[in-house]
Amino acid sequence: MSDASTGSFTLFNGQPQYQNFCRMHELAATKPMRPASRSFQFPEGAKISLPATYRADNGEARGMRALLDATHTSALLVLQNGVVRFEEYWLTGGRGVQWMSMSVAKSHVSALIGIALAEGKIRSLSDPITAYTPKLTNSAYDGVRIKDVLQMSSGARWNEDYSDPNSEVFRIGAALAPGGSYDAFMATTVRQNTPGSVCVYDSADTQALAMLIAGATGQSLTQYMQEKLFGPLGMESPGAWICDSFGVEMAFAGLLMTARDFAKLGELYRNGGVWEGRQIVPADYVAASVKWDSPHLAPGKPQVGDHTLPMGYGYQWWLPAGSDGDFSAIGVYNQYVYVNPKRGLVIVKLSANPRYGTSKDERDNKDAENILALQAISRQFD
């Protein structure tokens, strides 16, 4: 999530946040989603133990439990071929606890774009996003292809300096304050790069996609997700979207769900968009979502603030380097829905890493390091 403050507390200050991330429905305005009328329960399988260590990018062996502790992990769920093989909760986590998604929300928004495309409500990803969202006319998104927005390549300027009150990240965060408006913020965005030329991780791009969903479907993000994902995937617990004073959802980070329900998006994508024999998201859209298809999206190219990560980028999904075909939804404070189709794996990790954002150092943020740990878990299933 790119937001320096949420509701009544401040982020990225080194303070523990696990007391907050479990009760965002109490701290911020939300739009609820109902559990499915027929909930889907993952079957239980033989339980595994976690590997004692994983290899950091420098080859150093590090302790798995030490990483879980250091990042204030609240939930770790491992599915193999749709069967629960590991499930533990710590701190304020629990099977029925809604957790703050951070940017894991982005991958859910992408799935909804694929569904709207299949329904013909979006004609083509080559269409300009402003064909469906007139509120973005004269903004950075005017005339930009939907595909470029999906790939974080809109060309919009994005400054992620939390100490600068004029930065985009500061101003989009302020939109959650009383009287604030995400739509009003989006109208002020300006272009910096040629669309489709540079991948800059920009939460405003996801907010633009939510505006696209609303414009194309005539429904709010909450309504459309309730109908197209929450019900069909059999979500077992209530969910919610954090919203601004005008009821507009924080599409880039404000999804509240349980670990088991987050896992259902991973399981849907592991199976090529199919759920219980029904094609929910088009197979070709899912396949395109988890591949990089241009040099500016290749591992090491996407820009996050003033640095890059050793991953590529698809349609709001991160793509680790290598040939394993794995992919992940990733949110700050170390939230993950990691998918490895070759091994039949979906892993959900929900966390509240207190060091996150206190520096720009990977030793604090541990974005890539957590992926290495999840990959170590997945290798147990070779």
Side-chain angles (χ1 to χ4, degrees), residues 57 198-201 295-312 318 360-362 365 367-368:
D57 55 5
V198 182
C199 180
V200 176
Y201 190 71
H296 74 280
L297 302 167
K301 292 294 186 179
Q303 300 174 10
V304 182
D306 63 352
H307 65 285
T308 63
L309 292 175
M311 289 182 268
W318 286 101
K360 298 176 181 178
D361 196 321
E362 167 66 12
N365 296 333
D367 286 313

Side-chain angles (χ1 to χ4, degrees), residues 119-137:
E119 293 181 333
K121 292 176 179 177
I122 296 172
R123 293 179 295 274
S124 169
L125 297 185
S126 296
D127 283 354
I129 194 169
T130 37
Y132 307 85
T133 56
K135 289 181 180 179
L136 291 174
T137 302

Side-chain angles (χ1 to χ4, degrees), residues 188-202:
T188 70
T189 56
V190 297
R191 187 168 299 171
Q192 184 171 51
N193 300 305
T194 301
S197 66
V198 182
C199 180
V200 176
Y201 190 71
D202 175 354

Side-chain angles (χ1 to χ4, degrees), residues 80-128:
Q80 182 195 26
N81 296 323
V83 175
V84 177
R85 300 296 305 276
F86 183 94
E87 183 176 22
E88 282 195 33
Y89 300 96
W90 302 273
L91 300 172
T92 55
R95 178 165 172 170
V97 172
Q98 294 179 0
W99 200 261
M100 181 79 170
S101 70
M102 304 305 182
S103 290
V104 167
K106 292 178 168 71
S107 303
H108 291 75
V109 171
S110 176
L112 294 173
I113 294 289
I115 293 169
L117 185 67
E119 293 181 333
K121 292 176 179 177
I122 296 172
R123 293 179 295 274
S124 169
L125 297 185
S126 296
D127 283 354

Side-chain angles (χ1 to χ4, degrees), residues 270 324-327 338-347 374-375 378-379:
R270 182 183 75 81
D324 216 28
D326 51 349
F327 51 93
Y338 168 86
V339 185
N340 188 314
K342 288 183 180 178
R343 296 183 170 93
L345 265 292
V346 172
I347 306 175
L374 300 181
Q375 289 174 326
S378 75
R379 282 193 291 273

